[in-house]
Amino acid sequence: TFTPTVADNFLSLACLTVSGREHRLPLKLIGQGIGPKAAFSYSNVDVHEVFLTSVRRYELHLENLGDIKCEYELQKFDSSMGECFHFSPNKGTLEVEENH
């Protein structure tokens, strides 16, 4: 069974004993861990018209769709409007099938 806990490439060498053969045969095992898979509950949020002094609240959920836990940290937007958006929590850990 191959169940990696991190996103990485894996290589292992096994030796097979085959009846009727004097020497064992090498078997190279290669696998790739795909890492966590997280996604927001919406791919698009239309905020319509927003006035400069208005406050609107939208609720999105970050869901772990993968087979291993997912650690996340949202980065600040590097723009003049970046300070206008706030996410809570902005970092954390999602277990398999969990959402925040």
Side-chain angles (χ1 to χ4, degrees), residues 25-55:
L25 296 175
L27 175 65
K28 188 187 297 186
L29 303 170
I30 301 172
Q32 181 179 18
I34 57 172
K37 289 183 183 178
F40 283 107
S41 54
Y42 296 97
S43 61
N44 224 354
V45 177
D46 187 355
V47 295
H48 302 288
E49 292 183 24
V50 178
F51 298 100
L52 291 177
T53 58
S54 66
V55 175

Side-chain angles (χ1 to χ4, degrees), residues 4-40:
T5 57
V6 295
D8 202 355
N9 293 315
F10 297 88
L11 172 67
S12 184
L13 185 63
C15 293
L16 301 176
T17 301
V18 179
S19 59
R21 294 196 56 113
E22 183 178 338
H23 300 287
R24 297 185 299 168
L25 296 175
L27 175 65
K28 188 187 297 186
L29 303 170
I30 301 172
Q32 181 179 18
I34 57 172
K37 289 183 183 178
F40 283 107

Side-chain angles (χ1 to χ4, degrees), residues 40-45 58-62 87-88 99-100:
F40 283 107
S41 54
Y42 296 97
S43 61
N44 224 354
V45 177
Y58 297 91
E59 189 169 312
L60 301 172
H61 294 275
L62 184 61
F87 295 90
S88 177
N99 69 61
H100 285 176

